[in-house]
């Protein structure tokens, strides 16, 4: 997560804080199935890197209360397809223009952004199939 965020009432913005908003924090490669955590929000890139299929899971709001408007960026570096879906499909809704709207996939070197628009609703946009 970008340093100093989220900000709290009374925080003083510094040049370093504001300048940090234009860059991504790059997480370590996820080489196994991965479930999003609160630190993945804001300016963080989540790289998935596995030679075979791998999953990026979006948790329920009850598990991880991302604020509405959260955007999580995923980059698939590995040769295996990365499937983006909800940990609990009956509770969390994932929508996309992918072949399977609730489970879009990313091929190698493709990226997507998961955007939370309501309590348990996420849209996935980007280079999905």
């Amino acid at each position: 997560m970008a340093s100093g965020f989220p900000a709290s009432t009374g925080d003083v913005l510094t040049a370093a804080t504001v300048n940090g908003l234009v860059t991504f924090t790059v997480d370590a490669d996820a080489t196994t199935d991965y479930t999003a955590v609160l630190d993945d929000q804001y300016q963080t890139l989540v790289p998935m890197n596995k030679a075979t299929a791998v999953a990026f899971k979006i948790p329920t709001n009850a598990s991880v209360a991302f604020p509405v408007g959260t955007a999580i960026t995923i980059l698939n570096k590995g040769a295996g397809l990365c499937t983006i879906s909800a940990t609990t499909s009956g509770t969390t809704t994932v929508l996309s223009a992918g072949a399977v709207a609730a489970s879009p996939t990313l091929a190698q070197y493709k990226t997507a952004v998961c955007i939370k628009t309501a309590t348990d609703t996420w849209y996935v946009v980007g280079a999905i199939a």
Side-chain angles (χ1 to χ4, degrees):
M1 178 182 335
S3 178
F5 286 90
S8 299
T9 302
D11 285 354
V12 176
L13 291 176
T14 65
T17 302
V18 173
N19 291 339
L21 292 176
V22 297
T23 60
F24 277 92
T25 299
V26 180
D27 284 352
D29 286 4
T31 56
T32 60
D33 291 352
Y34 181 80
T35 301
V37 297
L38 208 51
D39 281 347
D40 293 331
Q41 64 182 330
Y42 301 118
Q43 304 285 128
T44 301
L45 179 66
V46 181
M48 305 298 289
N49 193 357
K50 190 173 178 188
T52 57
V54 66
F56 179 91
K57 296 288 191 174
I58 299 172
T60 63
N61 190 70
S63 298
V64 182
F66 290 103
V68 170
T70 292
I72 300 172
T73 305
I74 305 160
L75 167 67
N76 186 23
K77 295 166 60 175
L81 281 180
C82 175
T83 301
I84 302 167
S85 62
T87 55
T88 308
S89 59
T91 303
T92 302
T93 302
V94 173
L95 301 165
S96 75
V100 178
S103 299
T105 59
L106 287 175
Q108 188 172 31
Y109 307 130
K110 302 292 184 181
T111 190
V113 178
C114 304
I115 304 165
K116 185 174 183 178
T117 60
T119 301
D120 272 308
T121 303
W122 293 77
Y123 284 85
V124 181
V125 297
I128 55 177

